[in-house]
Amino acid sequence: MKNTGLKEKHTQRPKLHRPLFALADCNNFYASCERVFNPKLRDRPVVILSSNDGCIVARSNEAKALGIPMGIPVFKIRHEIARHRIAVCSSNYTLYADMSNRIMKTLRLFTPHIEIYSIDEAFLRLDSLTERDLRRYASKMRDTVMRWTGVPVSIGIAPTKTLAKLAGLLAKRDPLGVYSAAESLMHANTSGPETSSSFLNEIKKIPVSKIWGIGRRLAVTLNMQGIYTVYDYMHADPKWIRRKLTITGWRTFMELHGTSCLSLQELTLPRQSIISSQSFGEPIDSFIPLKEALALYTARAARKLREQHSTASLMQIYITTKPFGSAPRYANSAIGTIDPPSSYTPALISRASTLLESIYRSGFRYKKAGIFLTGIHPEGMQMRLFDRYDVRERQIMQAVDVLNRKWGRGIVRSAAEGTLQRWHMKQSSVSSRFTTSWDELLHIVL
Ligand SMILES: [Mg+2]
């Protein structure tokens, strides 16, 4: 922000730092989505399983309080599940993605300057607000998201993104779900970080590993230097940080001191590669179902390509058996060009099938397949003089995408994807696609 250098003698309150970032973070997002449509799950421990019902990927506060660790295979905690009546849900990404879209759309009404950081987190710029309005505005955002979607969010506010992340952690503990570090850091730049404030007291208790961008491994190195908390990091020797932690660590250091180095990434650049892969619910031991599974993943990757208005010119596919165990093992991959570059699902599926034929070996039980697209170009770009960009193909795919968006994913699909799809991932207790499929709307019996 531009500093005019003018001293404002008449203002009642000291000015807040600019810029001002807010981090809006959904509380236990997956569990909260499940609870919106199934009130029986409220006030009860809830865990969500990975896409193959294998491990725990998300937990409600109650499940966290019981000490259920993240990532643990579900069979290892069968006893706890029974003893504490823990609700176990398969992951329902269709529902979570749609709920996420609704939440982000709601947040966007409060400011056009928004960076969607992950499925359940967004950074927002709130520069124009005064100190007095800040909390009120954040509370209003929170209430609106709650009323319109049913998902609770916490909002942390601070002059940098790194500090906003920390404020977000503190907001989780706040009964109103809002924490502003903007006010407490008001004087930080003028009288130095020694300024006593509730925020600075709080960060003496937060472990250094919780700082955005500092992973567990780096935290170990820092601990060996006697740096245990966020506060310690802020007071570490700047020269040491610069030398040992390079520019990234230095940027974090500056951000913790209230100097914004990371800006809002409002534009999402097209991805330069697209991956679609999955483990099968049941191993596949013959060619046809393997080809069908690969066709489905290819169709998904092609849809992602079209969403960002791109085409791909290079494809890699791979297949693999279980990497361990006593059964015979085999894994292989094949690369091929896509000529001309395309996002046309049938063309990509036929290319993937040819590649699969070249590496498929019978006599194995395959566990996983995937596709990787790269050599990404903008749609409609003519690569060579005689390349023809097929308008008809594009119109067909547009129609398919519209229908699938409207009536549910997969309503129109390639015959190559098969109809039985026995290899589909295991999801024994998946909730309905309440918000994206007419057939699965919530029924209320009076
Ligand atoms: Mg979250």
Side-chain angles (χ1 to χ4, degrees), residues 23-30 64 118-121 152-154 172:
L23 175 78
D25 181 8
C26 301
N27 301 354
N28 312 312
F29 180 57
Y30 295 171
K64 287 177 191 170
S118 70
I119 194 166
D120 72 332
E121 277 175 61
V153 291
S154 306
K172 289 251 156 83

Side-chain angles (χ1 to χ4, degrees), residues 11-161:
T11 41
Q12 295 291 318
R13 290 177 204 85
K15 280 214 133 190
L16 290 176
H17 274 304
R18 297 288 186 260
L20 268 182
F21 291 94
L23 175 78
D25 181 8
C26 301
N27 301 354
N28 312 312
F29 180 57
Y30 295 171
S32 297
C33 287
E34 296 289 346
R35 280 175 172 165
V36 171
F37 297 95
N38 186 355
K40 278 186 199 154
L41 299 178
R42 291 185 193 161
D43 306 315
R44 210 184 134 183
V46 179
V47 295
I48 317 290
L49 304 181
S50 56
S51 53
N52 230 341
D53 278 1
C55 304
I56 287 171
V57 293
R59 303 156 299 162
S60 71
N61 277 343
E62 297 80 0
K64 287 177 191 170
L66 288 171
I68 307 290
M70 188 73 163
I72 192 171
V74 68
F75 70 83
K76 285 197 177 171
I77 56 156
R78 286 277 172 229
H79 288 305
E80 283 90 334
I81 288 173
R83 181 154 23 112
H84 303 290
R85 287 188 59 250
I86 300 175
V88 179
C89 306
S90 300
S91 41
N92 182 348
Y93 290 111
T94 313
L95 177 68
Y96 310 150
D98 188 62
M99 292 299 283
S100 171
N101 276 334
R102 289 169 189 225
I103 292 162
M104 299 307 170
K105 264 189 197 159
T106 311
L107 290 173
R108 206 181 281 278
L109 296 175
F110 287 84
T111 170
H113 305 296
I114 175 168
E115 172 191 340
I116 298 170
Y117 178 65
S118 70
I119 194 166
D120 72 332
E121 277 175 61
F123 286 105
L124 312 140
R125 283 279 293 256
L126 300 177
D127 294 12
S128 53
L129 291 179
T130 64
E131 180 197 342
R132 199 179 38 189
D133 295 335
L134 208 52
R135 287 182 143 273
R136 204 186 303 157
Y137 200 72
S139 298
K140 192 156 185 219
M141 276 197 308
R142 194 179 179 274
D143 293 346
T144 310
V145 173
M146 186 68 191
R147 201 157 353 108
W148 291 4
T149 69
V151 174
V153 291
S154 306
I155 298 177
I157 305 161
T160 71
K161 284 168 99 176

Side-chain angles (χ1 to χ4, degrees), residues 16-24 123-127 134 138 155-171 178-186 199 203 255-260 262 264:
L16 290 176
H17 274 304
R18 297 288 186 260
L20 268 182
F21 291 94
L23 175 78
F123 286 105
L124 312 140
R125 283 279 293 256
L126 300 177
D127 294 12
L134 208 52
I155 298 177
I157 305 161
T160 71
K161 284 168 99 176
T162 307
L163 285 169
K165 273 276 203 182
L166 291 171
L169 285 182
L170 298 170
V178 177
Y179 188 97
S180 171
E183 292 147 53
S184 42
L185 278 165
M186 239 167 1
F199 183 64
I203 60 174
E255 285 243 321
L256 288 174
H257 281 271
T259 304
S260 175
L262 302 164
L264 208 65

